[in-house]
Amino acid sequence: ATSAAPPWMGVLMLARSECPISFLFRPVASDVAMMAMNKINYNEKLKRLGWILLMQIHDEVILEGPEETAEEAFAEVVQCMQEPWVLGLEKTSVPLLVDGSCVHKTWYEAK
């Protein structure tokens, strides 16, 4: 008689194989997000355009500002997120791609 693997065995094996990778990348992703947020928060051009960083959720940022400068502010935010490197850190050989929009007037519409 063959014994069947317990139903939870695949889940445990999957979790075990993912953990080292996840633990390796999460702190790096967190650092990159923090550098981008700092660049956005202290960006003089965004301040001059009237935009402020409201919050960050995972790898997303939400800003608020005047509609008439939205396109220009959006381009600046994309630049900050694609090149967040500060304190002399060299940028990666793999580009950081950013996707987003500036056409929504409420958070509900953006989702």
Side-chain angles (χ1 to χ4, degrees):
T2 61
S3 63
W8 45 263
M9 187 164 209
V11 174
L12 290 179
M13 290 172 66
L14 177 63
R16 193 175 123 212
S17 66
E18 281 186 356
C19 283
I21 301 294
S22 181
F23 288 134
L24 176 66
F25 288 110
R26 281 186 186 166
V28 173
S30 175
D31 289 346
V32 170
M34 182 60 72
M35 287 187 289
M37 281 191 331
N38 280 328
K39 281 186 88 170
I40 291 167
N41 194 47
Y42 296 108
N43 187 292
E44 290 301 320
K45 184 174 185 179
L46 290 172
K47 287 179 183 179
R48 204 170 44 254
L49 293 171
W51 286 81
I52 60 168
L53 177 64
L54 292 179
M55 70 176 70
Q56 174 242 349
I57 304 167
H58 303 291
D59 61 348
E60 299 175 4
V61 292
I62 299 174
L63 288 88
E64 185 176 65
E67 192 174 338
E68 53 274 359
T69 61
E71 293 288 334
E72 192 175 357
F74 178 70
E76 188 69 17
V77 169
V78 167
Q79 179 68 26
C80 289
M81 292 183 75
Q82 286 181 337
E83 295 185 15
W85 320 115
V86 295
L87 304 173
L89 295 173
E90 293 182 24
K91 65 181 186 178
T92 61
S93 58
V94 178
L96 299 177
L97 302 178
V98 176
D99 184 35
S101 70
C102 60
V103 297
H104 306 292
K105 294 185 184 209
T106 67
W107 297 353
Y108 183 77
E109 289 176 5
K111 283 292 174 187

